[in-house]
Amino acid sequence: MRSSASPSHKPRKKPRQNDAVQKVPVLANGYQSKAVKSHRPSFPLEALLWSTREGTSRWITLPLVLMVTGLYKWTLGFWGYSGFQSPPMHGDFEAQRHWMEITTHLPISQWYFYDLEWWGLDYPPLTAYHSWISGKIGALLINPSWFAFETSRGLDDPLLKVYMRATVLVSEYLVYTPALILFVYRLGRLQHLNNWEVLVALVAILMQPATMLIDHAHFQYNTVMLGFVAASFSSVLAGKVLWASAFFVAALSFKQMALYYAPAVFAYLLGACFFPRLNIPRFLAISVVTAACFGAVFSPLVASGLRDYYYGVDLSLQEALLRSESLPVDSKSWYYPVALQLAQSIYRIFPFARGIFEDKVANFWCALHTFHKLHTYSTGLIQKIFLAATALSILPPCVALGLYPDRTLLPMASATTAWGFFLFSFQVHEKSVLLPLLPMTLLLAGEGGLSPEKRSWITWANLLGCWTMFPLLKRDELQLPYHVLTLLWAWLMGVSSMTFDFSTSDQRLRPHYLVRLLHGAFYVAMGCWHVAEAFMKPPKGKPDLWVVANVLIGFAGFSICYLWCLWSLTSSVYVRRERYKRDAKRVGKAKVKAH
């Protein structure tokens, strides 16, 4: 007889449906993913990842994505770099190698003073510590001749190139990539995106062409600083404001260009301490953590100054370089060497004495300089005008975010302030366009980020940013990687269907026709510029004609990007404010009925 006891074998539970099928959010603008509605991808990047929608764990897809994107970045290293076989000063590659040389051979007290004419250190201390670690690993474990003191300048050893490229990739995968992953998944969870949509956005961000071209082809370590910024944004999304403060101090301490985001971050943190109610303990905690982190970063410089005082080191060379008679400090006091170290580091980090702009860059002042020469005015007057214009451009987003500190609006506010700095501030590099592009691109992981309207703006801004850097990349003979990466990203993001395809009549599946007209006009202008620059020599007396045209078109486009970010931010604040008022009224009515 069959036993009446319950069987030992239990039937398996039915597998849960994949998040992509289980949850289909409707986005803020009423757009629902065309891919979900029609069960087919709406642009090529979705098509490439279409098979991962159902039944594929993120622990499988994520490593594969990181390997593929990492392979793209590593292959860029086969091309040349900034200053390759270009004496006498070479370029950014030599600058980074030289900093590894001086940090591994000289005491800390000489880092910001040594031979400033040959790529003197002009980045904050965290960059110097990173150079020290990279130089020590390369010299102790591989080849000490790469960083031999004063005899390795201008070295172009192929194995050194491999090692330096590897330090960029490893640094990126230790800081930038984990921060991006945390950010996109946290933002997607807050705004009710499913895991597959978040994965699509993550791949688009990792394949951002401007960052890849500058760090992995031209050669720099921008992704370390950008990674700390993304980690700060991610901490804000998680509600961990103290960690957000610490990570942002790390970003500032690695590259001073993180100041582009500082007003927005400050406005959010300050607003979070006052709204919806006053929170003095939080304000004090943020202040203490920020001061402590800056103190930790600069403490080796302070200690080196105290060491110089203790051993009676001759400071005449440092005094001559700094012109220390302007320091209101007694030269015989014990804290004089400390003041000397801090003053010199700040002087090197913020080089106000250099000039208006580093090169022809697509901002307001360079465009204005084309028609009205700014060097006829005094440097002091120009600096004051630049400061006033920058302050006016960053004030609206800071006020909006400070009064309504919504954590999901921090990337948009940061993009707006970064565009303001890029367009109007002092000493702007063409590579500084990476700063506003990062928070704009991060919007792909948010509400409506993959909709045609927002995706069109983000894609256009990134391609325009790459285009304005073409003269820089051409000097490094990086034309082919530039064309491959920008065209690849344009194809992945569906530029042709968003801008030039008029076959569909559904307005929800494409941007507004005015947006399509605007972006299409810029794409045509960029393409015509490339043809003219490649095949038409500029007339005599105007050798920089094509570069100036690049500046003027780029400035017009970046100004539109700034206005779009500002409009998107203010409209989002208005929507949230109205929603808050409706919720407050609903709660009030419920209380009245309860009584």
Side-chain angles (χ1 to χ4, degrees):
M1 292 180 62
R2 182 177 297 178
S3 172
S4 59
S6 60
S8 59
H9 176 266
K10 294 182 179 180
R12 291 184 298 176
K13 294 181 179 179
K14 292 181 66 177
R16 294 179 60 186
Q17 288 182 315
N18 184 271
D19 288 340
V21 179
Q22 187 177 358
K23 187 188 297 183
V24 182
V26 179
L27 305 179
N29 57 2
Y31 169 82
Q32 196 177 39
S33 174
K34 177 185 176 184
V36 176
K37 290 182 65 177
S38 62
H39 300 289
R40 63 178 182 178
S42 55
F43 57 99
L45 183 56
E46 281 190 346
L48 289 176
L49 299 171
W50 193 248
S51 61
T52 64
R53 283 187 315 132
E54 302 179 20
T56 306
S57 169
R58 76 174 71 172
W59 300 109
I60 296 176
T61 56
L62 191 56
L64 290 175
V65 164
L66 296 182
M67 284 189 287
V68 172
T69 55
L71 182 62
Y72 272 99
K73 295 170 182 178
W74 183 252
T75 54
L76 280 174
F78 292 125
W79 294 88
Y81 49 79
S82 172
F84 177 63
Q85 295 182 348
S86 301
M89 293 302 294
H90 301 277
D92 285 342
F93 182 91
E94 170 59 20
Q96 300 289 345
R97 189 215 60 80
H98 179 62
W99 295 347
M100 297 179 190
E101 171 195 335
I102 62 175
T103 54
T104 53
H105 287 88
L106 296 175
I108 296 177
S109 60
Q110 296 184 33
W111 285 0
Y112 283 98
F113 291 93
Y114 177 75
D115 196 2
L116 302 182
E117 297 299 322
W118 183 270
W119 297 114
L121 182 60
D122 57 0
Y123 277 2
L126 206 56
T127 288
Y129 307 148
H130 176 268
S131 298
W132 180 81
I133 293 172
S134 302
K136 282 292 185 183
I137 293 174
L140 294 177
L141 300 182
I142 306 177
N143 190 344
S145 66
W146 290 344
F147 311 107
F149 189 56
E150 294 188 340
T151 61
S152 56
R153 294 183 177 182
L155 192 65
D156 56 5
D157 185 344
L159 291 180
L160 171 63
K161 173 185 173 182
V162 173
Y163 174 74
M164 297 288 281
R165 296 290 196 191
T167 61
V168 175
L169 191 64
V170 171
S171 300
E172 177 174 321
Y173 271 67
L174 289 176
V175 181
Y176 181 70
T177 303
L180 284 184
I181 294 171
L182 285 175
F183 175 86
V184 297
Y185 277 102
R186 282 174 175 168
L187 184 60
R189 190 182 306 118
L190 280 173
Q191 300 195 331
H192 310 296
L193 271 70
N194 59 61
N195 288 336
W196 181 75
E197 288 175 311
V198 171
L199 179 66
V200 173
L202 176 63
V203 175
I205 297 168
L206 290 173
M207 290 293 291
Q208 185 188 20
T211 305
M212 292 173 64
L213 286 167
I214 293 300
D215 274 26
H216 298 281
H218 174 82
F219 194 88
Q220 280 196 341
Y221 294 96
N222 292 294
T223 49
V224 178
M225 178 267 292
L226 296 175
F228 285 130
V229 171
S232 180
F233 291 173
S234 179
S235 299
V236 166
L237 295 179
K240 300 175 181 178
V241 292
L242 299 184
W243 277 109
S245 303
F247 281 126
F248 194 72
V249 169
L252 286 169
S253 301
F254 194 86
K255 280 199 173 186
Q256 61 270 40
M257 290 189 301
L259 280 171
Y260 282 33
Y261 307 124
V265 174
F266 174 78
Y268 172 81
L269 293 177
L270 187 64
C273 295
F274 288 90
F275 299 102
R277 62 186 63 87
L278 184 63
N279 193 333
I280 296 298
R282 173 183 286 180
F283 177 79
L284 294 176
I286 291 173
S287 303
V288 170
V289 168
T290 302
C293 290
F294 273 120
V297 169
F298 282 88
S299 59
L301 289 176
V302 174
S304 68
L306 294 175
R307 179 184 178 278
D308 287 351
Y309 174 79
Y310 180 79
Y311 287 103
V313 175
D314 181 19
L315 302 176
S316 58
L317 175 62
Q318 287 90 328
E319 292 173 347
L321 288 172
L322 186 60
R323 300 174 183 176
S324 62
E325 64 271 13
S326 61
L327 280 178
V329 178
D330 183 6
S331 61
K332 297 181 180 179
S333 62
W334 63 269
Y335 52 85
Y336 176 72
V338 175
L340 199 65
Q341 288 291 326
L342 296 179
Q344 175 68 356
S345 63
I346 294 173
Y347 176 79
R348 292 292 300 163
I349 293 169
F350 300 103
F352 291 111
R354 284 190 184 175
I356 301 174
F357 30 75
E358 194 76 10
D359 205 345
K360 289 184 173 61
V361 57
N363 73 348
F364 174 76
W365 305 113
C366 193
L368 178 62
H369 188 74
T370 304
F371 306 102
H372 182 74
K373 303 306 177 185
L374 299 178
H375 60 261
T376 58
Y377 301 98
S378 66
T379 302
L381 176 62
I382 288 177
Q383 289 178 355
K384 292 176 182 177
I385 295 174
F386 282 25
L387 178 62
T390 305
L392 287 175
S393 68
I394 66 176
L395 184 61
C398 291
V399 171
L401 188 62
L403 294 178
Y404 302 95
D406 187 326
R407 53 188 171 175
T408 60
L409 295 180
L410 180 58
M412 181 65 79
S414 299
T416 311
T417 60
W419 280 122
F421 269 99
F422 181 84
L423 289 171
F424 299 106
S425 65
F426 195 82
Q427 265 290 310
V428 175
H429 297 252
E430 59 269 61
K431 293 167 288 188
S432 299
V433 75
L434 297 181
L435 282 95
L437 289 181
L438 172 69
M440 271 195 79
T441 311
L442 292 178
L443 298 175
L444 290 170
E447 192 175 43
L450 298 178
S451 65
E453 186 78 25
K454 187 173 287 188
R455 177 163 48 91
S456 175
W457 281 100
I458 295 170
T459 304
W460 173 68
N462 274 276
L463 294 176
L464 182 64
C466 292
W467 179 75
T468 59
M469 292 189 294
F470 180 80
L472 169 71
L473 298 171
K474 183 181 178 180
R475 289 198 295 268
D476 300 331
E477 298 183 358
L478 296 172
Q479 299 97 313
L480 184 58
Y482 159 83
H483 288 296
V484 170
L485 279 183
T486 53
L487 291 175
L488 173 64
W489 208 68
W491 174 74
L492 288 174
M493 300 303 290
V495 167
S496 60
S497 59
M498 286 189 299
T499 308
F500 301 107
D501 183 11
F502 296 91
S503 60
T504 177
S505 59
D506 191 347
Q507 294 296 328
R508 295 177 302 169
L509 302 182
R510 63 181 185 180
H512 191 275
Y513 76 93
L514 291 178
V515 174
R516 293 156 63 89
L517 184 63
L518 174 69
H519 293 173
F522 270 89
Y523 288 136
V524 170
M526 290 154 60
C528 293
W529 182 90
H530 273 302
V531 173
E533 188 272 339
F535 299 105
M536 297 175 60
K537 291 184 179 181
K540 292 182 179 180
K542 297 184 181 297
D544 297 330
L545 175 64
W546 303 127
V547 178
V548 171
N550 183 290
V551 166
L552 296 177
I553 297 173
F555 163 67
F558 292 154
S559 300
I560 296 171
C561 288
Y562 167 79
L563 294 174
W564 179 80
C565 289
L566 182 60
W567 168 255
S568 299
L569 175 66
T570 52
S571 59
S572 298
V573 168
Y574 176 79
V575 169
R576 283 161 172 76
R577 187 183 65 176
E578 294 300 313
R579 187 183 305 165
Y580 176 78
K581 288 181 179 179
R582 289 195 301 269
D583 293 342
K585 288 182 180 179
R586 191 179 301 114
V587 171
K589 291 180 180 179
K591 287 182 178 180
V592 170
K593 288 182 179 180
H595 286 293

